[in-house]
Amino acid sequence: MEVKGYKAFNKGLTNRYGRKFELGKKYSTTGEISFGNDGNGFHFCKNIEDTLRYFDAIDGEVEIAEVTGLDEIVTKEDEYNGYYDMYVAKTIIINNKIERKKLVNMFLTTITSEPRVIRFIQLFKLTEKEIEMFKLKYASSISIMDAIAYYQEDKKDVYEKRHKVKEK
């Protein structure tokens, strides 16, 4: 079986456990594969923004790579939290790194699904210039504009103002 997707890393293509990965290399594990911190295998996601669920891209630096999962692959769905098509594979190839400019551009041109854009805005720290680009692109979306204000501009009262009930 083969599935293409994305995997997030700490700076230097290092995973959460300190293991360093290299572009173009194939990695395999032994034993039964499973999800979780105590799981076994190589975790990755179909949707690029979902990789940020596992790494702090608001306060820290992350790198995201395109990957291919091979051999035995298990799929996990977290419907309650809106995460789908998460995988763990016995073997993974690190194909190439997604540079920041390309990543941001994906959410300005290709990935325009409102829930996906909001999830990206919630989990990835944008620069001031990038924030302005998102505001221009999504000016007509109240939900996206609120997410920008709350998660990127630290305007924590944005949702209170929008949903405040008038007192009599």
Side-chain angles (χ1 to χ4, degrees), residues 97-139:
K97 196 164 82 169
I98 305 292
E99 298 300 330
R100 181 186 185 96
K101 184 176 181 179
K102 181 179 179 182
L103 175 64
V104 169
N105 193 47
M106 289 170 76
F107 286 92
L108 290 169
T109 60
T110 309
I111 303 169
T112 56
S113 155
E114 193 169 275
R116 291 185 66 192
V117 172
I118 289 171
R119 196 157 44 239
F120 177 70
I121 290 167
Q122 289 173 336
L123 299 170
F124 190 83
K125 184 64 176 170
L126 299 169
T127 66
E128 287 184 33
K129 182 179 178 184
E130 291 165 347
I131 289 169
E132 291 308 314
M133 293 182 341
F134 273 79
K135 285 181 167 182
L136 285 171
K137 168 72 178 182
Y138 296 107

Side-chain angles (χ1 to χ4, degrees), residues 7 9-15 18-28 42 63 65-68 92-97:
K7 182 169 182 58
F9 297 91
N10 292 316
K11 193 169 175 90
L13 291 179
T14 304
N15 72 4
R19 183 175 182 180
K20 174 107 171 96
F21 290 77
E22 294 180 41
L23 295 177
K25 297 257 178 138
K26 182 191 270 189
Y27 299 89
S28 295
F42 302 97
E63 295 178 330
E66 291 178 322
V67 300
T68 303
I92 196 166
I93 299 171
I94 312 301
N95 298 320
N96 61 50
K97 196 164 82 169

Side-chain angles (χ1 to χ4, degrees), residues 39-82:
N40 184 37
F42 302 97
H43 296 72
F44 64 103
C45 300
K46 178 180 179 180
N47 295 324
I48 196 166
E49 70 278 7
D50 292 345
T51 66
L52 301 172
R53 177 181 186 188
Y54 303 99
F55 286 83
D56 182 5
I58 287 290
D59 295 319
E61 291 186 51
V62 299
E63 295 178 330
I64 299 175
E66 291 178 322
V67 300
T68 303
L70 300 167
D71 301 327
E72 184 183 348
I73 299 173
V74 176
T75 304
K76 179 178 167 109
E77 311 286 347
D78 184 358
E79 188 174 333
Y80 179 79
N81 291 306

Side-chain angles (χ1 to χ4, degrees), residues 118 121-122 142-151 155-164:
I118 289 171
I121 290 167
Q122 289 173 336
I142 292 170
S143 298
I144 292 176
M145 294 301 285
D146 282 353
I148 291 169
Y150 187 86
Y151 293 100
K155 296 179 181 172
K156 299 301 183 198
D157 63 343
V158 68
Y159 292 111
E160 292 171 20
K161 286 180 181 178
R162 175 116 25 249
H163 303 287
K164 190 172 188 176

Side-chain angles (χ1 to χ4, degrees), residues 16-17 32 34-41 43:
R16 292 176 13 173
Y17 308 104
E32 185 178 339
S34 60
F35 278 92
N37 290 336
D38 296 327
N40 184 37
H43 296 72

